[in-house]
Amino acid sequence: MSQNQSEILERALKREKAARKAAEKILEEKSRELYFTSQRLEQLVDEKSSQLQGVFENIADAYVVMDLEGNFLKFNEAATKLFGYDISRDKVNVVNLIYKEDYQYAIGSFLELQNKGFFKGYEARVYTKSKEVKWVHINASVIFDKDKKPVAAQGIVRDITDQKKSEEQLIESENRLASLVVNLDSGIVLEDENRNIVLTNNKFCELFGINVSPKDLVGIDCKAASEQNKVLFKNPEDFIERMRAIDVDKKVVLGDELEMLDGKILERNYTPIVIGEKSKGYLWTFTDVTLKRTYRKSLEAQKQKYYNIIANMNLGMVELNNNDEILMVNQSFEKMSGYTEAEVIGKNARMLFSAEDDDVLKEEREKRKDGISNSYEFKAICKKGKTRHWLVSGAPNYNIDGEVIGSIGIHLDVTDTKSLELQKEKLLEKLEKSNDELQEYAHIVSHDLKSPLRSINALVSWLKEDNKGILDDASLQNFGLIESTLEKMEQLITDVLNYSSVGADNSIKSDVDLNSMVNDLVSMLYIPDHIKIETKSELPIVKGDKTKLQQVFQNLISNSVKFIDKKCGSIIIDVEDLKSHYKFSIKDNGIGIEKKYHDKIFKIFHSLKKSKDSSGIGLSIVKKIIALHEGDIWLESEPNVGTTFYFTLKKEQ
């Protein structure tokens, strides 16, 4: 080999060694990069796996994985809590969870999952491990391997049990509301903005003689239906015109009356339904008020009957206001005075009839203002200038608030009696008969006054019942005020009758053991726990009317209980033996009574504290009963300290 060839080979060998070293260095660098890359990939895989595991564990809804046979492979924490199974220990198949009545639906959905690879919106009931039934919503999909072969299924399961309960309650409420509307005792028609029927009820069909179900009327044009039904009314054209006017005006209408050919009277109400500024429909209600109107006519007839009695009785009757101006006279008074009613209405009675007894009439007027009733006699100048003697039984006239607004006088001409003493006995007989007539009249009027009150009360109750669920709170409150007022009026009439009948002392007196009577009375009365009743001395046996004496003690004890305002109430009953009488006392530590009211409280209709259960007559009755037993009553009192009522009863002689 020549030297040149050797040099060439050496240079080639050097280049080859240098290339090999360069290649080894590059390979070493690539190996290092590959190592670091593989390390990074492993880290990323670990991070993603951790993230997926976190999502799986912390998803709010239950997440489940199962094989294609329905065996559960994995539950997250929410699934374990929902179904109650621990997959690491419990072997569970989807069949174990299916509610028996939903089995076919579940199998169909499972087949859909296999065929389509997913299903959505599955809702059914499932059993938990404890056999509790729950409603669930499921969205599921099939899991495929890298070769696109199905290997498992996964699903998101949401517990919708509470939602289902709410839906069921809503449906139940809607059904109840629909049932209520359908069965209301008022005819209901709800129209949409185009006046097509949206809802009606059985009562509407009944009122208008429509022999179809309310459901069959839905969608009907109300305008056309009104034209067809107008023949049911006495004034068909007026019915249509009024309905058109209401529809155009679109304002609330209450209490329209419609008279039908069959004599039925309907009350029509109209309410437009507006949301925002848009009309969304109309509500019509129809109520049969025939009975109510009949009762109104009956009340008018009763009023006319008593007016006729007053007009034609044989005693002159005059009603005055507080200025002595005549408001009303009856026919008998017209005959007595010679004046017609038109001639005396608005005239001053004292100036018109008074002779020399003007002071007597002034005094009597003041008595009426103070609530005093009595009889008096005066000389009256009649129309022809003749002087006549009139005996007047006068009483104050009250308004509904118990205020004196005037007086009513029953007049009897006693001129003949004054001139002829021989007719005294006949006059007394006539007066007695007249008083009997007045008492009988008072009882009849009081009894018949209660009858309209009861009728009104019944009508109010019917109205409330008929419109149950329709009336607002303000209307219900007004009805409550009417009922309360009626109750007070009835109690007032009863108390007035009791007061008027106390004076008739026709009862048989007997021995009354007051000690036993008071003990029985205390046990029957409602006494609050904070009030103590004590009898200091043994109460005596007296001669008298047991019922009326019981009224005395009951009224005074009840008054004490009513007006005790202390935390520890005290009522002390005592008696003192006087020469001819027993002196009783009932002492309390209540609110007390000011000195200026000590005399007024025994007057009829004077109640210091207005309340629905106080008519202001109780103490007036007590005073009359004690007077019948030849006794007297008075009191000592200090405001905020207490009151002691004293009264005497005469001993048996």
Side-chain angles (χ1 to χ4, degrees), residues 624-640:
K624 290 188 75 173
I625 292 173
I626 291 172
L628 287 174
H629 290 80
E630 299 182 61
D632 198 6
I633 183 169
W634 69 99
L635 73 149
E636 293 176 0
S637 182
E638 184 177 349
N640 300 318

Side-chain angles (χ1 to χ4, degrees), residues 596-619:
K596 62 181 180 180
Y597 297 118
H598 285 193
D599 291 329
K600 289 185 177 181
I601 62 172
F602 294 107
K603 295 177 181 178
I604 190 169
F605 299 126
H606 279 271
S607 178
L608 298 183
K609 191 173 181 181
K610 298 294 183 181
S611 65
K612 71 174 186 178
D613 56 352
S614 176
S615 61
I617 301 178
L619 288 177

Side-chain angles (χ1 to χ4, degrees), residues 221-233:
D221 185 344
C222 276
K223 290 182 179 178
S226 299
E227 286 289 344
Q228 294 176 357
N229 292 326
K230 68 181 182 181
V231 295
L232 300 174
F233 298 91

Side-chain angles (χ1 to χ4, degrees), residues 197-209:
I197 294 177
V198 175
L199 176 69
T200 185
N201 65 350
N202 293 325
K203 191 64 179 181
F204 175 79
C205 296
E206 178 188 327
L207 290 174
F208 291 93

Side-chain angles (χ1 to χ4, degrees), residues 572-588:
I572 300 174
I573 303 171
D574 201 2
V575 63
E576 183 180 353
D577 193 345
L578 304 180
K579 185 176 181 180
S580 60
H581 289 73
Y582 289 111
K583 177 184 171 184
F584 298 88
S585 65
I586 298 179
K587 181 180 180 181
D588 65 60

Side-chain angles (χ1 to χ4, degrees), residues 129-175:
K129 186 176 181 179
S130 61
K131 297 304 178 184
E132 183 183 359
V133 178
K134 289 184 175 289
W135 277 93
V136 294
H137 175 280
I138 303 175
N139 290 329
S141 62
V142 174
I143 300 173
F144 299 91
D145 64 10
K146 63 180 181 179
D147 298 323
K148 304 296 184 180
K149 291 182 180 180
V151 294
Q154 62 181 353
I156 301 293
V157 185
R158 178 170 295 169
D159 185 353
I160 60 170
T161 306
D162 292 339
Q163 177 185 329
K164 281 292 183 180
K165 286 181 180 178
S166 298
E167 291 175 357
E168 290 172 0
Q169 290 173 353
L170 180 60
I171 292 170
E172 186 178 346
S173 297
E174 290 175 347
N175 290 338

Side-chain angles (χ1 to χ4, degrees), residues 240-251:
I240 292 296
E241 286 182 19
R242 177 60 177 154
M243 181 168 277
R244 288 171 182 164
I246 291 173
D247 183 38
V248 170
D249 201 23
K250 288 184 172 51
K251 292 181 180 178

Side-chain angles (χ1 to χ4, degrees), residues 38 57 118 123 146 191 311 419 454 543 548 645 652:
S38 65
E57 292 297 338
F118 68 91
E123 288 188 2
K146 63 180 181 179
E191 305 173 0
S419 61
R454 294 190 187 104
K543 199 79 169 177
K548 290 179 179 177
F645 278 94
E652 183 181 3

